[in-house]
Amino acid sequence: MSGLECSDAVRVVNALLTEIDKIKQHPNVLILTTSNITGSIDLAFVDRADIKQYVGPPTQAAIYQIYLSAIQELMGKGVISSSSIMNYTSLKMANMTTTTRAQSSSSLTQSMTLWRLAELSSGFSGRTLRKIPFHALALFSKLEKGMDMDLFLVNLGMAVDNQTKEREELNNSLNTA
């Protein structure tokens, strides 16, 4: 069967390209595609695109906001005790002023911890980033209601480390295969 896989793939690609060509006659249709393996996309497919836009992995600021939105969701459900972790804009402003540090040191400390975790998460996909806070709960905590934010951030750090190790192991296994 492995000998047919290549010809099957060619047939599928050709059928897809034919359907895309048919759709082009409709002015109100937009085709949007994404891929994490851009090097494997058939050039005939790419050539049919009117606009090609590369969107790289999330920046550190975007990662911070992804984590923050997951944390806010968990706080809303009562899984994590309420905290005042700053959004990215507030964190950026807090780092510029020394008076803010004295006013809300716990909030700033937690926000800076989340910022460092965002830095360690560089290169992860948005989908992976969204899952990491939930892995922090599932893998490294007792899922107690109202978990302390500082403990959650420690667990989040362990989940980030775990994801980094898993990626390294996957890369090593692919390189040795």
Side-chain angles (χ1 to χ4, degrees):
M1 189 72 166
S2 63
L4 298 176
E5 290 174 5
C6 185
S7 63
D8 289 344
V10 169
R11 273 199 303 274
V12 169
V13 169
N14 286 338
L16 176 65
L17 295 174
T18 300
E19 293 303 314
I20 289 173
D21 290 340
K22 288 179 187 176
I23 289 174
K24 280 199 169 195
Q25 59 186 300
H26 301 284
N28 59 343
V29 175
L30 171 71
I31 300 172
L32 178 67
T33 64
T34 64
S35 177
N36 288 339
I37 50 173
T38 55
S40 299
I41 300 173
D42 189 285
L43 289 179
F45 179 77
V46 174
D47 287 343
R48 283 170 169 76
D50 293 326
I51 300 171
K52 300 172 221 43
Q53 179 67 49
Y54 175 76
V55 178
T59 63
Q60 185 177 358
I63 294 169
Y64 181 90
Q65 286 298 127
I66 290 169
Y67 284 160
L68 181 60
S69 72
I71 287 170
Q72 289 169 335
E73 183 179 335
L74 292 169
M75 285 189 310
K77 304 290 183 195
V79 178
I80 301 173
S81 61
S82 184
S83 176
S84 55
I85 291 184
M86 303 173 193
N87 65 31
Y88 173 68
T89 305
S90 299
L91 177 63
K92 194 171 161 184
M93 294 299 290
N95 282 330
M96 292 181 200
T97 63
T98 56
T99 56
T100 308
R101 291 176 191 256
Q103 292 172 353
S104 57
S105 61
S106 174
S107 175
L108 184 60
T109 300
Q110 290 174 345
S111 300
M112 289 303 298
T113 299
L114 188 60
W115 179 251
R116 283 189 292 279
L117 291 173
E119 182 179 24
L120 293 173
S121 303
S122 179
F124 294 167
S125 71
R127 183 179 298 124
T128 297
L129 292 166
R130 188 73 181 140
K131 291 178 184 178
I132 287 175
F134 301 99
H135 287 175
L137 287 173
L139 300 174
F140 303 108
S141 71
K142 297 175 185 168
L143 291 177
E144 298 169 4
K145 200 131 177 100
M147 177 187 286
D148 176 69
M149 181 58 69
D150 291 322
L151 177 59
F152 176 76
L153 290 173
V154 168
N155 292 347
L156 185 63
M158 290 190 296
V160 169
D161 289 343
N162 189 53
Q163 180 63 37
T164 301
K165 288 175 187 166
E166 285 179 8
R167 286 177 61 145
E168 288 171 357
E169 288 172 3
L170 181 62
N171 284 338
N172 289 339
S173 69
L174 292 175
N175 291 335
T176 59

